[in-house]
Amino acid sequence: MVPAVRVASAAELPALGAIERAADGVFAAVGIVFPPGGTVIGTATDPADVLVVGDPPVAFAYVGQLDEHLHLHQIAVDPACARQGFGTALMEAVIARAGARGVTLTTFATVPWNGPWYSKLGFSVMPEPGPELAELVREERLGGLDGLGERWVMYRPSQIGT
């Protein structure tokens, strides 16, 4: 059974970087090695923007507003807890939180647990991101992410009935 998704506490934010780094390490199996440095979750300042699973957390989703959508900045599951539904539970919570805004994200296109997984969850490639998301994509390119593999900007519209 998947533990409930909840909002992170401020005290939990510093420990989430270790989950992100461990999850990033899984990408080495498909030839993607991230450069050393900070983590995406390290930029989170408001615990209300971070959803977690577990106590202590074993997975998280970090979101924020970009343009008129809820944007998924990062989702990570501790590899020791992979394939137990934690990522799906987090994504369902993110989609519910987005409501009528829908959700945007950037991801690697061909990594099986990225682009294809998001497609199964109802995301599709977004042809023209808004100005704030376009700036984020530009920053990711400058940071070298495009050199690690094809990237997609994806969007999932609001849930039906919201």
Side-chain angles (χ1 to χ4, degrees):
M1 184 169 145
V2 176
V5 174
R6 62 182 175 78
V7 174
S9 71
E12 291 172 321
L13 291 182
L16 299 178
I19 296 170
E20 182 176 338
R21 283 187 198 92
D24 284 353
V26 174
F27 285 83
V30 293
I32 296 172
V33 177
F34 294 98
T39 59
V40 174
I41 191 63
T43 66
T45 56
D46 186 348
D49 292 337
V50 182
L51 301 172
V52 296
V53 173
D55 188 11
V58 297
F60 72 86
Y62 166 36
V63 298
Q65 183 79 22
L66 280 183
D67 301 312
E68 67 275 7
H69 308 295
L70 187 66
H71 182 76
L72 177 67
H73 291 288
Q74 181 72 7
I75 186 169
V77 176
D78 183 322
C81 299
R83 301 196 165 279
Q84 296 181 37
F86 299 145
T88 299
L90 283 165
M91 285 308 302
E92 288 170 353
V94 167
I95 291 164
R97 180 182 272 204
R101 296 178 288 174
V103 180
T104 59
L105 58 86
T106 61
T107 191
F108 289 103
T110 58
V111 175
W113 58 89
N114 278 77
W117 182 68
Y118 290 121
S119 293
K120 289 179 190 175
L121 293 172
F123 286 83
S124 58
V125 174
M126 184 179 204
E128 292 189 37
E132 293 171 344
L133 185 50
E135 176 60 21
L136 176 69
V137 169
R138 187 183 78 70
E139 290 171 10
E140 287 180 351
R141 284 188 182 125
L142 290 174
L145 286 182
D146 279 6
L148 299 176
E150 180 185 0
R151 304 273 299 161
W152 283 345
V153 176
M154 301 187 85
Y155 173 69
R156 186 190 190 282
S158 65
Q159 293 186 30
I160 296 174
T162 60

